[in-house]
Amino acid sequence: MTTTSAVVGQSSAKAVDGSLWWESFTQLLSELENVSLSSDIPSFLVKKLKDSHVWLLGAVSLFKPPSQTSREALNSQQVNVGQHRLIIRPELKDMALQISATLRLDEVQSYILVDRFIEQNNAAVDHIVQEFLHMILLHHYIERQCILKCTRQILMHALYVGTGHAIREEALKLIADGLESKLLSVFLDLLSCSHPENMDVDLITLWAEETLIEANLVLDILFVAYYESFCTCNGERWKNLCSLYKGIICGDFNFGKLAVSAEAVHSVYQAKAQLLLILIETLDLETLLQMVHDEVPFRDGSTFFSSSDVLEVDAIISTLNALETKEAGPLILAWAVFLCLITSLPGKEENNLLMDIDHGAYVRQAFEAASLSWFLEILQSDILINSDGPIAGYRSVLRTFVSAFIASYEINLQLEDSTFKMILEILCNIYRGEESLCIQFWDKDSFIDGPIRCLLCNLEGEFPYRTVELVQFLSALCEGSWPAECVYTFLDKFVGISTVFEINRDTLLGNMSQMVESHLPLHVPQVEGLIIPSRTRGHVVKMVDGNTALVRWEHTQSGVFILLLRLAQSLYFDCDREVIVTLDLLNRMMSFNQATCFALMDLGNSMNARETHITGQMQKIDLVEIICNLVRNLSSNPSNARVMSLVILILAKMLKCSPSHVTAVALKSNVFDLSLKTNSFDVGGTSSSSDSWLLSGRLAKMLFLDSEQNDSSYPLSISVLELTEQLIEAGVENDVVLALIVFSQHILVNHEYWKYKARHVRWEVTLKVLEVLKKCIVSVPRSQKMGEIIWDMLLCDSSIHNTLFRVICRTAESLEKLYVSRLWEPTEIQGLEAAICSVLDILSIMLSDFSKDFSSGSTVFHQAMMSSTKKPCPIVTSMISLISHFRNPEIQVGATRLLSMLCIIGDHSPPYLFGTSCFGPEDKQIADFRRSVYNVLSEQFLWNENLFVAVLKLLTSAARYQPAFLISVLDDKGKAEVLEALLQFAKRSDDLINSNPRVWLNVLNFLQALWQGASQYTDILKQLRSSGRLWKELSKYINIIAKTKPFSFQTLYKMEAQSLAYKYQCQAVILEIVACDMFLQRKLQLLNQKPDLSKEGIENGGFSGNVAKELCHFKDILSLSCDQSILGDLIQSSMSFDYDNEVTLRAKIAASLFAVHVMGKLATGDAGSLSVSLSKKIHVMSKKLSALPAFTELAAQYSQQGYSGGKELDLLILSDLYYHLQGELEGRKIESGPYKELSYYLLDSDFLQSYRSKSSEDLFSPADHVYLFNTLQIKTDMGLDLWKYSQWKPFESIGERMLICIQEANLMLLLSSSKLSALRAVVSVLSLNQEENQAIAIVTEICDANKIKLIQPEIQSLCLLLLQIMEMSLYLELCVSQICGIRPVLGHVEGFSKEVKLLIKATEKHAFLKASMTELKRIMSLVFPHLSKAERFS
């Protein structure tokens, strides 16, 4: 903004009303949306909301019309808008006046609008032309809409926090100050508005669309206010709203005239639907249902409507005609339900006027106009699908209405079939996708859903005679984990079966015409083999025809079992619709509840106690076999794409639960057989016996056709990709998986060119294929057969690279334009941004994993990444720009991480390939990037810690590998905003040390990189050195860490250990910075000054002049942190515990225990949820184990004791071995013998070794990525999260104990490596500071503390290094003595002599120090020759 404090003459300044000023609500909305709904907002946002309260309350009404005062004010040089000052620029004034005339907006506000637009878009004033006018107008409308969205967000957020939270207080204050009335006033103005007279024709469409969006937002806010009871709607208010609705649908307002485009037509339709739902909600049908349930009489005051209100509203409703005005029908029907419920209450006779109202006539009129279909239209429209409004609330209102309608008019299965199906479809659309409503439905205490539950029970009473409707409804009701469990339980606990039965006198039970009994066994239609036994009684549900009735038999059978039987036999019956809804139900239950997936897969085993009466035998079913048979036998017809998609999805979900079993059955069933004569993906209806459906092109053609025709939620391409992903994750390696991976590459490269019936599906496919690509990359290190092929494909296939680059080669500006484009829907933008995040992650992983091989030659991938000719912009340029996209922090983090890796690749790349142009962005790009970095680092609160850390890592990477780029970012014409932001952040080190040492470590890493590249950052280091704050904070940290109390590893929690590791790494980096600076100071002195051999010069280390003064200042800083006992304390703190090999041994024992348990399971054919790769590893181990002589010896011993051989004997040995290992894990050693030998084999096996982490030199990996074993991959291969749902649940503790032991080993390594780095840093400081006395004391203390035990190898190396430092220091002292003739001070020699004698005594029992001590004694005898022979160190 051109607000300024520059001195302007008071005579040239003009003051206007301060209420004309507003802060950007676009930014406020972004900040509100980034706050978790479950937490309160931070304090700075609280202040922003308080400052914006007046504007939020006024909605958009504070945007004022033009005024003479404001117009005249722009003629002055300065305008004071309250406390804000505007310096008027003539070139902007003309544009502001044009905007004012076009928008009918106040002139000063128009100037503010233009000025902000120019600043935010970095637009040159002399280039402002007509296209900018359109953009500025759009900017204004977006600002207005953001005000309304902020209000809506405040109300929504307030629902999730309790009383006393700032966001809720603000919401209540808005309501108390009259928000409802203000919104209604604004809405009335919008209904009557007309376009400005001076607006060009081409801008009228924009004006109309944006005005209608404002109306939609106002209605959203009103709905939330009423639905969530922030305010109540009395009878008078309801009549006003009803009159507005009547005026809109009857054309009494200009509102309908705004429908000048497709988007505007949709917004008008949405406004009508929103207002209708507000009217239905404020009828308070929920309260009336409760009153009917509790038999509460109707009295004035019992509802928001009095008797007179009802009569007055009825007078309005009676003037509507649903046959003439379609939109009137739903309101008339809702009013009829309201009247029916009121007249159903006790005491209705007291009000004859209400009883005289014929609500039945309203219902008949509404049904004649097919008003129910309008509710279905609303549910299937974008209003309740892609809207960002209160969708759950709108669906809840419709649920309450339908429930009240069913209760009012006793809707049941006897109703006309088309009407019943319409109601059922409405219910399915209401519940599907809304977990909260499904939870309420299955809650028996929810009276609102009571009538709908009765409808479900009626449907259940006709199963399996009427299957499709029941299954379709249950599929909608299983949204969420608990609802899915409820649906499964409901189906599984069926108490009867319904069939058509011919009634005669013999079958009737006495005179009871509703009860019958079968005399012969009855076959259930379309469930081959399922028989109802003779003498089974049944209840007549309804008469079908003549003497034929539908009978509900008292024969208990699982509904799930019957469904699966019908599904297995579906190939022999014409029941395509039933197959689809059944598969949909199975897929949704498995998706929401994994326990259900296991129950379905284990259904055959769980049916042992249930007889199916098939020739007296039990019938078992295997869902995996059923699904595989469907895949194999489906006809090659494109119309079967949805069925194929569902069965592949179900197969993928089962594969996740039981990889080995599903893989084995699928291969056995020849699902992917290359020699099938009838192929399910042969679109043309023919197939060759020698062609693979994966590679022949038929699958590709079917996917292409499916994308054009499928508007469902099950695209076939996504299902195939899901199956591929699960096969890769399961570790399956065969030709089928390789073919699927190759086909996934085909989808990746070609899917963007397909036609889509639903455009957002394109991005769903993109995201899924990117997930598969990421799985492929992760699988490369552990894939023996396919790793090399995948590696080659990823690095050398330019089509893959180009596809990925087309997603991310964008700028922040281009992404911002999408939000105002009419060609992009919100779901498409979300999909694109999610795809950008995914591609950024993929490319970062590829660079991180593959950059180690870059030295061997430049790959196609690396050349493409660093190319400066990429269109529309090079990757580096795109990343620099995307870091400025604050609307999506995930994109910022991904772009920052990728740019960090590109810095490394650019440095390692041969100059003749890429040059330096890719890291030489234009000045404007550098300025934008600098501003973004400053905005991230200068935040008072760590709004996004991941982004903050990513930016610091980027600066560190640039400092080490792209110094020219970093200097251009940090140097802003003498300013140093970024450095200043870091110095300000350093003030918070006291808090960060304990609360978040990870962030502080990354700050220090950047500073260390600057010092390590000191020759290139001279000016920057001068600024940092001149800051006493930085040295003060660093010294303070050293003192804190030095005082850390000794601890025991067993007492640390995981988070504590990680935090402590970060602290020690912080200490190491600080000391390395100190060492670097000491080295630089000494080097500068040696280069620029002659030695000063005077007494003062020697005390200054041989330096004199200005450099000596700087060094003295630095020594003051150093002495503050390292004086006297501080270094000793640091050493002591860093050595507070030794690396315990027992921890690693425990991890290996726990892993062996797990492996033996799994061996026993695999021997019985139960691989559980283990991945195929892990199962194979342990299976191979089991074979090798059983082939050992010790195992053979044990088998012979057991045979002699009378045990039979074979598998049972092997299991017995494994069981005993398991308990021996368990005892050793608990502290009881295994005695020598065969079991000891077997345990040795297991401990030395490669089970855990295959998960051993490779040492990473990636600078940008977090500190806690230093580990022995990859526990995440181990847990994934174990499928441990799924054990609780299967028969492995009793053994879950085995896997958990192994992971705990492995995590302890990892933490031990993390802590020890962090402490070792701290020790090395201390040594670096000692070597530069010539602190031989400290070195003597440290080595003496270490040797004395370890008299009776072996010193760890790392500590031995430290001792040798310290002795070497002493030797070098003494050698330097000898040189000074011989050149200058200066002898050591006698007092110093005597003290030094005593310390050395203690050192010699302490090191006598440690052989590894013998050679070093011999050399040390020799140099000391040369430095101190004047000592008596008795005092010498011989």
Side-chain angles (χ1 to χ4, degrees):
M1 286 295 297
T2 51
T3 58
T4 181
S5 57
V7 178
V8 178
Q10 293 298 321
S11 60
S12 62
K14 185 74 173 180
V16 296
D17 186 1
S19 65
L20 295 176
W21 183 271
W22 79 98
E23 298 294 343
S24 173
F25 283 93
T26 306
Q27 182 179 358
L28 178 60
L29 176 63
S30 178
E31 292 171 341
L32 285 172
E33 290 177 339
N34 285 332
V35 178
S36 172
L37 291 177
S38 59
S39 60
D40 202 3
I41 58 176
S43 56
F44 79 94
L45 260 184
V46 174
K47 184 179 185 304
K48 278 191 175 184
L49 289 182
K50 289 182 178 178
D51 295 341
S52 306
H53 177 79
V54 175
W55 272 83
L56 293 170
L57 180 63
V60 294
S61 63
L62 290 187
F63 285 108
K64 303 295 184 182
S67 69
Q68 187 65 27
T69 302
S70 293
R71 187 178 185 87
E72 293 175 355
L74 292 184
N75 294 326
S76 59
Q77 296 180 21
Q78 175 178 306
V79 176
N80 296 333
V81 189
Q83 298 178 349
H84 304 276
R85 298 178 181 179
L86 289 172
I87 303 303
I88 304 302
R89 300 158 65 184
E91 63 272 21
L92 296 188
K93 171 186 169 184
D94 296 336
M95 176 60 72
L97 293 175
Q98 185 180 356
I99 293 292
S100 174
T102 304
L103 291 175
R104 291 187 298 203
L105 180 65
D106 180 88
E107 289 82 357
V108 172
Q109 290 183 324
S110 298
Y111 186 91
I112 296 172
L113 188 68
V114 173
D115 191 40
R116 286 180 178 172
F117 176 82
I118 297 299
E119 182 181 5
Q120 292 174 7
N121 293 274
N122 295 305
V125 178
D126 55 350
H127 286 93
I128 296 179
V129 289
Q130 189 64 25
E131 62 177 296
F132 275 123
L133 175 62
H134 182 277
M135 294 297 295
I136 294 173
L137 294 181
L138 197 54
H139 182 75
H140 171 64
Y141 290 126
I142 290 175
E143 193 70 20
R144 291 168 63 96
Q145 292 160 20
C146 284
I147 295 175
L148 298 171
K149 288 183 178 180
C150 284
T151 305
R152 184 181 65 184
Q153 185 69 18
I154 290 170
L155 296 181
M156 296 294 292
H157 197 146
L159 301 174
Y160 291 86
V161 294
T163 306
H165 287 77
I167 191 77
R168 185 170 183 84
E169 296 300 322
E170 176 61 26
L172 296 177
K173 182 171 175 54
L174 286 171
I175 297 298
D177 290 347
L179 178 64
E180 178 192 13
S181 299
K182 181 60 68 175
L183 289 171
L184 288 171
S185 175
V186 169
F187 182 64
L188 188 58
D189 291 340
L190 292 172
L191 291 179
S192 307
C193 67
S194 58
H195 66 82
E197 297 177 359
N198 298 326
M199 183 171 284
D200 295 338
V201 176
D202 60 338
L203 295 178
I204 291 178
T205 300
L206 172 65
W207 166 82
E209 291 175 352
E210 302 303 322
T211 300
L212 288 169
I213 291 175
E214 288 182 25
N216 296 147
L217 290 170
V218 168
L219 290 172
D220 267 349
I221 299 170
L222 283 171
F223 176 82
V224 173
Y226 291 134
Y227 177 75
E228 301 295 349
S229 302
F230 283 107
C231 56
T232 57
C233 180
N234 55 29
E236 190 64 33
R237 181 74 79 190
W238 201 93
K239 285 182 285 185
N240 293 336
L241 291 172
C242 185
S243 298
L244 290 177
Y245 182 74
K246 177 183 177 182
I248 292 173
I249 63 176
C250 295
D252 296 343
F253 298 104
N254 290 334
F255 197 68
K257 298 178 183 178
L258 301 184
V260 294
S261 66
E263 290 79 3
V265 169
H266 176 268
S267 295
V268 170
Y269 176 80
Q270 180 175 343
K272 294 176 183 178
Q274 288 173 296
L275 189 51
L276 171 65
L277 292 171
I278 289 174
L279 288 168
I280 296 176
E281 163 59 23
T282 48
L283 283 173
D284 204 14
L285 298 177
E286 185 175 336
T287 299
L288 288 177
L289 280 172
Q290 181 72 61
M291 293 172 65
V292 171
H293 180 270
D294 298 339
E295 298 183 352
V296 176
F298 176 76
R299 298 282 188 274
D300 287 348
S302 58
T303 68
F304 297 125
F305 287 80
S306 64
S307 299
S308 58
D309 290 332
V310 174
L311 295 175
E312 292 175 13
V313 170
D314 187 69
I316 299 174
I317 299 295
S318 63
T319 61
L320 298 174
N321 190 326
L323 298 176
E324 296 177 358
T325 308
K326 178 182 178 182
E327 295 90 340
L331 181 60
I332 291 173
L333 188 59
W335 181 247
V337 172
F338 175 83
L339 292 175
C340 182
L341 291 176
I342 281 185
T343 55
S344 301
L345 296 174
K348 56 189 177 183
E349 298 82 4
E350 300 178 8
N351 199 323
N352 295 328
L353 293 177
L354 293 181
M355 296 299 297
D356 291 340
I357 301 176
D358 185 8
H359 59 82
Y362 286 140
V363 174
R364 289 189 292 273
Q365 181 186 158
F367 267 69
E368 288 179 28
S371 298
L372 278 177
S373 63
W374 207 74
F375 289 106
L376 187 59
E377 287 179 16
I378 294 175
L379 286 162
Q380 294 176 342
S381 69
D382 284 345
I383 302 173
L384 298 183
I385 298 177
N386 297 324
S387 170
D388 60 350
I391 296 177
Y394 289 139
R395 289 177 181 268
S396 176
V397 169
L398 289 173
R399 181 276 314 266
T400 303
F401 163 73
V402 174
S403 183
F405 177 69
I406 293 173
S408 299
Y409 298 104
E410 298 181 359
I411 304 299
N412 53 47
L413 303 186
Q414 305 292 342
L415 194 65
E416 181 186 353
D417 196 54
S418 60
T419 303
F420 172 76
K421 288 184 177 180
M422 175 68 70
I423 293 172
L424 190 61
E425 192 169 0
I426 290 173
L427 288 172
C428 289
N429 279 272
I430 288 173
Y431 285 104
R432 194 179 184 100
E434 284 301 330
E435 182 177 355
S436 59
L437 294 182
C438 292
I439 291 174
Q440 290 181 36
F441 177 89
W442 293 107
D443 182 2
K444 295 180 180 179
D445 295 331
S446 174
F447 65 89
I448 301 175
D449 298 275
I452 304 176
R453 283 196 292 269
C454 292
L455 190 66
L456 175 64
C457 291
N458 290 338
L459 279 172
E460 184 264 346
E462 296 192 6
F463 179 82
Y465 173 75
R466 197 167 185 166
T467 300
V468 173
E469 291 84 354
L470 173 66
V471 175
Q472 182 182 7
F473 192 23
L474 288 175
S475 182
L477 289 169
C478 71
E479 191 84 23
S481 178
W482 186 66
E485 180 184 346
C486 292
V487 168
Y488 181 87
T489 303
F490 178 82
L491 273 172
D492 194 47
K493 302 299 182 183
F494 273 2
V495 294
I497 297 177
S498 298
T499 64
V500 175
F501 183 70
E502 187 172 349
I503 301 176
N504 53 47
R505 292 183 179 179
D506 295 334
T507 57
L508 288 173
L509 293 179
N511 296 326
M512 299 175 59
S513 59
Q514 296 298 314
M515 294 296 296
V516 296
E517 184 178 75
S518 64
H519 295 301
L520 297 172
L522 299 176
H523 292 269
V524 179
Q526 293 190 345
V527 188
E528 184 179 349
L530 183 60
I531 300 173
I532 299 173
S534 60
R535 299 299 177 185
T536 301
R537 294 188 176 188
H539 173 76
V540 177
V541 177
K542 64 180 180 182
M543 300 302 298
V544 178
D545 183 25
N547 292 331
T548 304
L550 182 66
V551 176
R552 181 69 165 173
W553 300 102
E554 296 175 354
H555 176 66
T556 302
Q557 188 57 266
S558 168
V560 180
F561 186 70
I562 295 175
L563 278 179
L564 295 186
L565 279 177
R566 290 172 67 92
L567 183 64
Q569 300 165 12
S570 60
L571 296 173
Y572 310 105
F573 303 103
D574 185 16
C575 50
D576 291 343
R577 176 64 179 161
E578 182 181 330
V579 169
I580 290 177
V581 296
T582 302
L583 290 173
D584 180 58
L585 173 62
L586 295 176
N587 176 64
R588 285 172 61 80
M589 284 196 298
M590 291 179 175
S591 300
F592 293 118
N593 192 302
Q594 290 175 320
T596 301
C597 185
F598 279 96
L600 288 166
M601 293 175 65
D602 193 48
L603 189 64
N605 295 327
S606 65
M607 295 297 297
N608 289 335
R610 304 182 186 182
E611 295 185 4
T612 54
H613 296 276
I614 303 176
T615 63
Q617 297 180 355
M618 298 293 299
Q619 177 174 352
K620 289 188 177 182
I621 57 175
D622 187 340
L623 180 59
V624 181
E625 290 184 1
I626 294 174
I627 295 301
C628 289
N629 288 334
L630 282 173
V631 174
R632 189 180 67 245
N633 295 314
L634 272 174
S635 61
S636 55
N637 188 334
S639 62
N640 280 331
R642 188 180 184 192
V643 177
M644 180 62 70
S645 176
L646 282 168
V647 294
I648 292 177
L649 269 180
I650 292 172
L651 190 64
K653 288 179 172 61
M654 293 189 298
L655 181 66
K656 183 175 183 179
C657 293
S658 184
S660 297
H661 172 64
V662 175
T663 302
V665 174
L667 293 176
K668 182 180 178 181
S669 302
N670 292 321
V671 173
F672 306 108
D673 188 20
L674 305 185
S675 60
L676 287 175
K677 294 182 179 180
T678 304
N679 201 293
S680 57
F681 291 103
D682 183 4
V683 178
T686 61
S687 63
S688 171
S689 61
S690 61
D691 288 340
S692 166
W693 62 269
L694 286 173
L695 303 177
S696 64
R698 288 190 289 273
L699 176 59
K701 184 177 180 181
M702 191 169 189
L703 294 183
F704 178 76
L705 294 174
D706 178 63
S707 67
E708 287 185 324
Q709 302 170 8
N710 189 353
D711 59 353
S712 71
S713 56
Y714 302 114
L716 179 57
S717 55
I718 292 181
S719 299
V720 173
L721 291 169
E722 176 67 22
L723 178 62
T724 306
E725 182 180 2
Q726 292 303 326
L727 285 168
I728 295 171
E729 187 169 316
V732 181
E733 295 189 49
N734 52 35
D735 293 340
V736 172
V737 179
L738 184 58
L740 283 170
I741 291 174
V742 173
F743 189 75
S744 299
Q745 176 196 6
H746 166 82
I747 296 177
L748 173 66
V749 173
N750 294 284
H751 79 279
E752 60 183 299
Y753 305 110
W754 297 347
K755 296 179 181 178
Y756 295 90
K757 189 171 183 179
R759 283 163 36 183
H760 65 89
V761 174
R762 180 259 201 250
W763 294 106
E764 292 179 4
V765 176
T766 301
L767 289 171
K768 197 63 192 178
V769 73
L770 290 175
E771 283 183 24
V772 174
L773 182 60
K774 191 181 297 185
K775 289 289 184 184
C776 289
I777 296 172
V778 174
S779 70
V780 166
R782 56 191 181 93
S783 178
Q784 299 175 354
K785 298 180 180 178
M786 299 186 300
E788 186 175 348
I789 298 174
I790 296 173
W791 189 300
D792 183 68
M793 180 179 69
L794 292 173
L795 291 183
C796 301
D797 192 333
S798 59
S799 64
I800 294 178
H801 307 156
N802 292 332
T803 301
L804 298 178
F805 296 158
R806 279 194 294 274
V807 175
I808 63 168
C809 283
R810 304 171 188 269
T811 62
E813 292 78 8
S814 66
L815 289 179
E816 285 295 332
K817 289 180 180 178
L818 297 181
Y819 284 89
V820 297
S821 171
R822 300 174 185 170
L823 303 177
W824 283 74
E825 299 175 356
T827 52
E828 290 183 272
I829 299 175
Q830 293 172 6
L832 168 62
E833 293 197 341
I836 291 175
C837 293
S838 184
V839 173
L840 291 173
D841 192 29
I842 287 171
L843 293 177
S844 296
I845 296 173
M846 290 176 67
L847 286 177
S848 177
D849 288 348
F850 302 151
S851 59
K852 299 171 185 177
D853 293 339
F854 190 71
S855 58
S856 61
S858 175
T859 65
V860 174
F861 171 65
H862 290 95
Q863 293 180 33
M865 287 294 296
M866 300 305 299
S867 172
S868 59
T869 60
K870 283 294 175 187
K871 301 297 182 182
C873 60
I875 300 241
V876 172
T877 303
S878 179
M879 295 305 100
I880 291 174
S881 178
L882 289 178
I883 291 172
S884 303
H885 188 54
F886 282 88
R887 190 186 288 267
N888 191 325
E890 291 184 9
I891 289 181
Q892 289 180 285
V893 173
T896 304
R897 176 175 170 79
L898 182 56
L899 188 58
S900 300
M901 299 303 304
L902 290 173
C903 288
I904 303 175
I905 299 300
D907 180 62
H908 292 168
S909 304
Y912 63 85
L913 282 178
F914 311 134
T916 58
S917 59
C918 57
F919 274 99
E922 299 175 355
D923 292 342
K924 180 181 178 299
Q925 295 171 339
I926 286 292
D928 292 343
F929 178 71
R930 183 188 301 116
R931 186 184 305 112
S932 300
V933 170
Y934 174 76
N935 288 338
V936 173
L937 299 182
S938 61
E939 286 182 353
Q940 184 178 0
F941 300 90
L942 280 179
W943 184 260
N944 190 319
E945 181 182 322
N946 289 333
L947 178 58
F948 189 92
V949 170
V951 168
L952 287 171
K953 289 182 177 180
L954 170 58
L955 294 177
T956 305
S957 178
R960 294 185 178 179
Y961 304 105
Q962 299 295 332
F965 173 65
L966 179 68
I967 292 172
S968 66
V969 172
L970 297 182
D971 184 18
D972 183 16
K973 298 178 181 179
K975 300 178 183 179
E977 292 182 344
V978 174
L979 288 178
E980 185 61 29
L982 278 177
L983 291 173
Q984 289 293 331
F985 188 82
K987 289 182 178 180
R988 302 172 52 192
S989 62
D990 287 351
D991 297 332
L992 293 172
I993 288 170
N994 295 315
S995 63
N996 203 335
R998 169 177 175 252
V999 174
W1000 183 229
L1001 174 61
N1002 283 280
V1003 174
L1004 295 172
N1005 282 334
F1006 172 56
L1007 296 176
Q1008 182 188 29
L1010 293 176
W1011 255 275
Q1012 289 174 341
S1015 61
Q1016 302 173 89
Y1017 306 121
T1018 306
D1019 294 336
I1020 296 173
L1021 291 182
K1022 282 182 179 179
Q1023 297 179 45
L1024 292 173
R1025 283 198 190 97
S1026 63
S1027 172
R1029 286 178 299 176
L1030 178 61
W1031 295 118
K1032 182 179 179 181
E1033 297 302 329
L1034 297 183
S1035 303
K1036 187 188 302 181
Y1037 187 92
I1038 290 297
N1039 280 285
I1040 292 175
I1041 200 69
K1043 296 176 182 178
T1044 301
K1045 296 180 179 179
F1047 60 89
S1048 170
F1049 176 76
Q1050 286 73 20
T1051 62
L1052 289 176
Y1053 293 103
K1054 179 180 179 181
M1055 296 305 296
E1056 291 177 340
Q1058 289 180 352
S1059 177
L1060 195 59
Y1062 279 123
K1063 290 179 181 179
Y1064 281 111
Q1065 290 179 62
C1066 287
Q1067 171 194 325
V1069 176
I1070 291 174
L1071 292 177
E1072 290 291 346
I1073 292 173
V1074 170
C1076 283
D1077 204 78
M1078 291 174 63
F1079 175 78
L1080 290 173
Q1081 293 285 3
R1082 294 178 186 274
K1083 187 174 181 180
L1084 286 173
Q1085 181 63 31
L1086 291 173
L1087 289 174
N1088 296 291
Q1089 300 288 333
K1090 294 180 179 180
D1092 182 2
L1093 302 180
S1094 64
K1095 182 178 179 181
E1096 292 182 356
I1098 294 174
E1099 290 177 355
N1100 286 330
F1103 305 144
S1104 62
N1106 294 329
V1107 178
K1109 292 180 180 179
E1110 293 180 9
L1111 184 58
C1112 289
H1113 171 71
F1114 180 74
K1115 282 190 173 182
D1116 291 338
I1117 299 297
L1118 182 61
S1119 64
L1120 182 65
S1121 59
C1122 301
D1123 191 24
Q1124 296 177 0
S1125 63
I1126 296 297
L1127 279 175
D1129 290 341
L1130 288 174
I1131 293 288
Q1132 186 65 32
S1133 172
S1134 301
M1135 294 171 54
S1136 57
F1137 83 94
D1138 297 329
Y1139 186 87
D1140 189 358
N1141 287 321
E1142 288 295 324
V1143 175
T1144 304
L1145 180 60
R1146 279 180 55 83
K1148 292 183 177 181
I1149 295 173
S1152 301
L1153 189 70
F1154 166 79
V1156 171
H1157 169 74
V1158 174
M1159 289 176 190
K1161 284 289 185 181
L1162 293 178
T1164 61
D1166 182 9
S1169 300
L1170 301 179
S1171 68
V1172 175
S1173 57
L1174 180 57
S1175 298
K1176 287 183 177 179
K1177 289 176 188 175
I1178 298 182
H1179 182 68
V1180 171
M1181 282 180 60
S1182 179
K1183 281 189 173 182
K1184 292 181 179 179
L1185 183 73
S1186 60
L1188 292 175
F1191 198 95
T1192 306
E1193 180 183 345
L1194 286 171
Q1197 292 178 6
Y1198 280 81
S1199 298
Q1200 292 175 0
Q1201 297 176 12
Y1203 293 99
S1204 58
K1207 183 186 295 185
E1208 293 183 359
L1209 181 57
D1210 291 347
L1211 288 174
L1212 181 59
I1213 295 174
L1214 288 175
S1215 176
D1216 287 351
L1217 177 59
Y1218 173 86
Y1219 286 109
H1220 277 81
L1221 289 170
Q1222 186 179 39
E1224 183 156 5
L1225 190 62
E1226 295 171 355
R1228 301 186 299 274
K1229 298 296 182 181
I1230 303 177
E1231 297 180 358
S1232 300
Y1235 284 111
K1236 189 69 173 180
E1237 294 180 20
L1238 294 180
S1239 70
Y1240 281 147
Y1241 165 76
L1242 291 171
L1243 293 177
D1244 294 336
S1245 66
D1246 61 350
F1247 166 51
L1248 269 187
Q1249 297 304 318
S1250 61
Y1251 294 101
R1252 197 175 186 93
S1253 67
K1254 298 179 181 179
S1255 57
S1256 174
E1257 298 179 0
D1258 181 8
L1259 169 69
F1260 308 100
S1261 296
D1264 54 353
H1265 277 207
V1266 179
Y1267 47 73
L1268 276 174
F1269 307 106
N1270 189 341
T1271 54
L1272 183 61
Q1273 188 59 55
I1274 295 173
K1275 187 174 182 180
T1276 300
D1277 284 353
M1278 289 169 60
L1280 185 61
D1281 292 337
L1282 302 174
W1283 287 23
K1284 56 188 174 185
Y1285 306 121
S1286 69
Q1287 296 178 359
W1288 286 45
K1289 183 176 181 179
F1291 315 109
E1292 193 175 1
S1293 59
I1294 300 173
E1296 291 175 345
R1297 179 164 51 180
M1298 179 183 73
L1299 287 177
I1300 291 173
C1301 292
I1302 294 175
Q1303 287 172 353
E1304 288 178 352
N1306 287 344
L1307 288 175
M1308 175 67 71
L1309 177 65
L1310 172 63
L1311 268 174
S1312 61
S1313 61
S1314 299
K1315 288 197 169 191
L1316 186 58
S1317 65
L1319 285 171
R1320 288 172 177 167
V1322 173
V1323 171
S1324 298
V1325 173
L1326 288 174
S1327 64
L1328 288 167
N1329 204 32
Q1330 298 182 11
E1331 292 285 350
E1332 64 270 15
N1333 290 355
Q1334 287 281 5
I1336 292 173
I1338 293 169
V1339 176
T1340 302
E1341 185 174 350
I1342 292 174
C1343 292
D1344 284 339
N1346 295 273
K1347 291 180 179 179
I1348 59 175
K1349 64 178 180 179
L1350 182 66
I1351 298 178
Q1352 294 292 335
E1354 295 85 355
I1355 306 302
Q1356 290 184 16
S1357 300
L1358 174 65
C1359 292
L1360 292 172
L1361 185 57
L1362 287 170
L1363 292 179
Q1364 186 179 1
I1365 291 171
M1366 291 171 57
E1367 183 181 341
M1368 292 173 59
S1369 178
L1370 290 170
Y1371 180 76
L1372 288 174
E1373 191 166 347
L1374 175 63
C1375 292
V1376 172
S1377 174
Q1378 292 177 348
I1379 294 172
C1380 305
I1382 301 175
R1383 300 299 180 186
V1385 180
L1386 184 58
H1388 170 70
V1389 173
E1390 291 177 353
F1392 183 73
S1393 172
K1394 293 178 181 178
E1395 293 175 355
V1396 171
K1397 290 178 179 178
L1398 293 174
L1399 173 65
I1400 293 173
K1401 183 178 180 181
T1403 57
E1404 289 176 349
K1405 296 183 179 180
H1406 298 282
F1408 73 95
L1409 294 173
K1410 183 176 181 180
S1412 296
M1413 286 301 299
T1414 301
E1415 185 61 26
L1416 187 63
K1417 292 175 184 177
R1418 186 188 68 81
I1419 191 69
M1420 282 191 294
S1421 64
L1422 295 176
V1423 176
F1424 306 108
H1426 59 283
L1427 290 177
S1428 64
K1429 191 172 184 180
E1431 293 176 315
R1432 290 192 185 179
F1433 313 107
S1434 56

